[in-house]
Amino acid sequence: MLSADFGNLDRDVELVNASKAGWFHLDIMDGVFVPNISYGMPLTKAIARLARKPMDAHLMIVEPHKYVTRFAELGVDYLSVHYEACKSNLHETLALIRNSGMKAGIAINPETSEEFIAQYLDEADYVLVMSVHPGFSGQKFIDGSVEKVARVKALIDREKANCFIEIDGGVGIGNIAALEAAGASVFVAGSAAFSGDAMANIAALAEAE
Ligand code: ZN
């Protein structure tokens, strides 16, 4: 939703409702963990009121554990927190997400090795692989991200964990099939969905999976 027009929020939420997109993906940025501020609780609430599909919130913020229950109260279904933002309390944060009734995701930045999250996989429902540097929309897909998805998939299999892989950043028609072949099953599309004819773009992305 970072690529939506917030001046026409009702229209853009309805568009996603009517499209082939499966979920709403909300990028929450605090200006500290990432160099930008996007939006927070009021906009999440406004989207929740209109959304008829699951809401997937991606917290690019420091100390995300402080906000977990509030996102649950707003109706978020999937909540991911960054490994890099949690440091020593990732175990507790994942448990809190699940205990709040949501699916728990671990997000990792492009430069973070997947090996760091091995010990947390059995406490998570998904891994969000960033294929751009978080903080800005409209960035170019980082080379090597398909291979990273494949390594995350191998890690999940090695650890016998029950996690799916979400890929976020620069996803489009040109790489979605390769990402799926590598093991991703949830594809976040911002710019690729909302530039031009969004309904046609989303249909084409769904077709390309
Ligand atoms: Zn995201």
Side-chain angles (χ1 to χ4, degrees):
M1 297 307 291
L2 193 58
S3 302
D5 177 356
F6 297 150
N8 288 290
L9 188 64
D10 289 33
R11 181 200 68 191
D12 281 358
V13 173
E14 280 309 326
L15 189 152
V16 175
N17 279 333
S19 78
K20 292 202 158 109
W23 299 350
F24 288 86
H25 184 82
L26 281 64
D27 286 309
I28 313 292
M29 304 177 186
D30 65 356
V32 180
F33 180 69
V34 292
N36 252 330
I37 299 172
S38 58
Y39 51 84
M41 309 299 177
L43 200 95
T44 301
K45 192 174 181 180
I47 293 171
R49 201 182 64 237
L50 301 163
R52 294 193 304 274
K53 292 178 176 178
M55 299 216 307
D56 168 33
H58 173 197
L59 303 188
M60 287 170 265
I61 66 176
V62 296
E63 303 191 316
H65 62 279
K66 290 184 177 174
Y67 306 96
V68 167
T69 53
R70 291 176 66 192
F71 280 101
E73 286 160 10
L74 290 174
V76 167
D77 302 280
Y78 296 83
L79 192 72
S80 58
V81 296
H82 269 266
Y83 163 79
E84 302 86 358
C86 289
K87 300 189 175 76
S88 58
N89 69 350
L90 186 54
H91 289 294
E92 292 82 354
T93 306
L94 293 169
L96 180 60
I97 295 171
R98 282 181 159 180
N99 290 337
S100 304
M102 299 179 286
K103 300 291 187 197
I106 307 170
I108 53 173
N109 281 339
E111 58 277 7
T112 300
S113 165
E114 64 282 354
E115 284 297 334
F116 288 119
I117 63 168
Q119 63 166 311
Y120 303 99
L121 288 177
D122 59 354
E123 297 155 45
D125 300 290
Y126 61 106
V127 177
L128 186 157
V129 177
M130 287 298 303
S131 39
V132 297
H133 298 287
F136 303 92
S137 64
Q139 293 184 73
K140 195 175 157 290
F141 186 78
I142 293 173
D143 284 340
S145 298
V146 172
E147 293 76 8
K148 179 142 188 206
V149 167
R151 291 198 305 275
V152 171
K153 177 76 173 90
L155 182 74
I156 290 168
D157 291 346
R158 188 188 85 196
E159 299 292 320
K160 299 185 173 56
N162 189 19
C163 293
F164 64 83
I165 299 172
E166 178 172 25
I167 180 86
D168 187 1
V171 174
I173 296 291
N175 53 29
I176 203 163
L179 289 164
E180 183 171 42
S185 58
V186 177
F187 309 91
V188 178
S191 315
F194 278 102
S195 49
D197 182 345
M199 198 62 102
N201 293 340
I202 295 170
L205 288 162
E207 185 74 23
E209 276 177 28

